[in-house]
Amino acid sequence: MKSRAAVFHGPQAPLEVREIELEEPGPRDVLVRMAAVGICGTELHSIRGEWTRPTPSVLGHEGAGVVEAVGADVTSVKPGDEVVLSWAPSCGECADCRRGRPAACINLHRAIGNGTLVDGTTGMTIDGETLYRGTATGALQERLTVTEKVALPIGGGVPLEEAALLGCAALTGVGAVLFAAETQPGESVLVVGAGGVGQFCVQGARLAGAETIVVVDPLAARLELARELGATHATDPDGLKALMKEVAPDGADRAFDVVGNPETAALALRFTRSGGTCVIVGIPATGERLDLDFAEFNRREKFLTGTMYGSEDPAVALPILLDHARTGRLKLRELLGATYPLEQVNDAFDAALAGIPGRVLVLP
Ligand SMILES: [Zn+2]
Ligand SMILES: [Zn+2]
């Protein structure tokens, strides 16, 4: 079976749009015709050479599409159904899977590091050679084979371009605020970094009923978007100290680092109130370490934690988000940045690297 894919050869080379070969779907597999794929920060790590993963590979793990065919044992979806991809085709058996955290699955993360699916295969070749999968998915192509449990039905009412955002950015950002931090009505929230996931943290804070929602980002256009989505205050990094002194002088009840580098994590922790919770949402470059003041923990009793994919099973969290999206409480259209056809995938990555507000989408 053929597909057309954006093939990644390494950080120095442009992506190459090529015909590739897909294995026939197995009995528990679903073949999805991809409609929209978001460019996530994870992809940018690969493009910048901050991660070393096997190549050639197909990047992309945030997407939505229409089921084209299903294996004999598939029961949850049928051809013609619209689906969102979850990028957590977990093993279902390890300790993390058993505690309801498929995105933390040890076997999934081993597979992601190896550029494969959990069973060690990739199901794709190019010129007869193995073609690896970014984030155990490889969505930047026309047709994609996934296991049944990661093709989550939409059930109508949300356009595919908007639904694509639910697959990573929304589950991660909204989940960080609602499920990882368990933000409560009336609380104050600080969001460090207003990229795609950061904007969903803002919306998660609004959905949780937070009273004060502060966003910090160097780009003015992103701050403006954050205000539209529910931020009560937004500033560039230089203005943060004065703003926090004014609106949350004790620090934020919940703070989120949505960038994932040592400086932004330390900043989020610094502006967390005593006894408050700081959550690391952004994924760092390989090898980054945190250098933190002990006093934040013993004298000021702060909590520091991290989240992967919103700290909830996507199969549980996605229907909640879809419900919010259908009723307009979760805004998706406002978060659509530029869109590009698959042939212009390199322009899409340039736009994402430039940090334009909203999500850059590729429409395969
Ligand atoms: Zn992602
Ligand atoms: Zn597992």
Side-chain angles (χ1 to χ4, degrees):
M1 237 172 31
K2 307 280 186 203
S3 180
R4 252 183 108 65
V7 179
F8 175 65
H9 294 283
Q12 277 76 41
L15 295 157
E16 186 190 15
V17 179
R18 286 275 310 272
E19 188 172 272
I20 66 160
E21 196 71 38
L22 299 182
E23 280 176 18
E24 291 294 327
R28 305 302 302 267
D29 287 342
V30 175
L31 180 67
V32 180
R33 178 162 289 272
M34 296 307 300
V37 180
I39 306 294
C40 178
T42 298
E43 263 70 69
L44 302 185
H45 281 305
S46 295
I47 291 285
R48 291 194 201 102
E50 292 166 352
W51 285 356
T52 314
R53 298 274 164 81
T55 55
S57 68
V58 180
L59 305 175
H61 60 275
E62 175 184 274
V66 179
V67 174
E68 194 171 291
V70 299
D73 296 339
V74 170
T75 56
S76 60
V77 291
K78 59 184 188 309
D81 284 355
E82 294 179 336
V83 293
V84 172
L85 300 182
S86 141
W87 55 257
S90 53
C91 77
E93 288 161 10
C94 72
D96 288 302
C97 284
R98 291 200 309 274
R99 74 181 176 99
R101 293 285 189 276
C105 168
I106 186 166
N107 293 310
L108 170 66
H109 285 276
R110 187 175 299 130
I112 289 175
N114 292 336
T116 68
L117 298 167
V118 168
D119 67 3
T121 67
T122 73
M124 311 190 300
T125 55
I126 183 166
D127 302 331
E129 302 287 325
T130 298
L131 181 58
Y132 293 94
R133 295 209 188 208
T135 319
T137 311
L140 274 170
Q141 55 178 309
E142 287 175 352
R143 309 159 93 195
L144 176 70
T145 309
V146 294
T147 63
E148 176 181 17
K149 65 182 169 184
V150 302
L152 304 171
I154 295 172
V158 181
L160 287 171
E161 286 184 22
E162 297 178 25
L165 305 183
L166 296 174
C168 185
L171 280 172
T172 301
V174 176
V177 179
L178 296 185
F179 307 126
E182 299 184 340
T183 303
Q184 300 298 309
E187 287 189 334
S188 56
V189 166
L190 169 65
V191 177
V192 178
V197 176
Q199 303 288 358
F200 279 110
C201 286
V202 170
Q203 298 207 64
R206 177 168 47 73
L207 292 169
E211 193 172 299
T212 304
I213 305 172
V214 178
V215 177
V216 56
D217 193 284
L219 298 179
R222 289 177 164 193
L223 298 176
E224 194 177 314
L225 178 60
R227 283 192 199 94
E228 278 174 41
L229 296 173
T232 57
H233 304 82
T235 178
D236 62 20
D238 290 341
L240 182 62
K241 191 175 172 188
L243 178 61
M244 288 300 284
K245 198 171 170 190
E246 183 192 334
V247 302
D250 297 330
D253 295 305
R254 322 277 162 177
F256 301 86
D257 167 29
V258 201
V259 181
N261 76 42
E263 290 75 30
T264 52
L267 186 75
L269 184 67
R270 178 179 156 209
F271 285 104
T272 303
R273 69 160 164 82
S274 293
T277 301
C278 178
V279 182
I280 295 177
V281 187
I283 310 282
T286 303
E288 292 281 23
R289 290 287 183 272
L290 293 173
D291 177 15
L292 301 172
D293 184 349
F294 275 103
E296 300 275 28
F297 304 101
N298 34 33
R299 188 163 60 78
R300 303 195 63 201
E301 299 184 336
K302 296 180 185 183
F303 294 86
L304 176 64
T305 186
T307 177
M308 177 58 67
Y309 213 3
S311 297
E312 180 53 280
D313 184 340
V316 173
L318 184 72
I320 298 171
L321 265 55
L322 282 166
D323 187 46
H324 284 311
R326 279 190 203 100
T327 56
R329 291 188 297 269
L330 181 66
K331 298 189 188 311
L332 299 172
R333 191 166 21 89
E334 290 79 351
L335 270 159
L336 295 179
T339 57
Y340 296 85
L342 186 63
E343 302 297 327
Q344 288 173 31
V345 67
N346 287 295
D347 296 332
F349 273 93
D350 287 345
L353 286 165
I356 69 159
R359 204 61 148 180
V360 173
L361 287 181
V362 174
L363 311 180

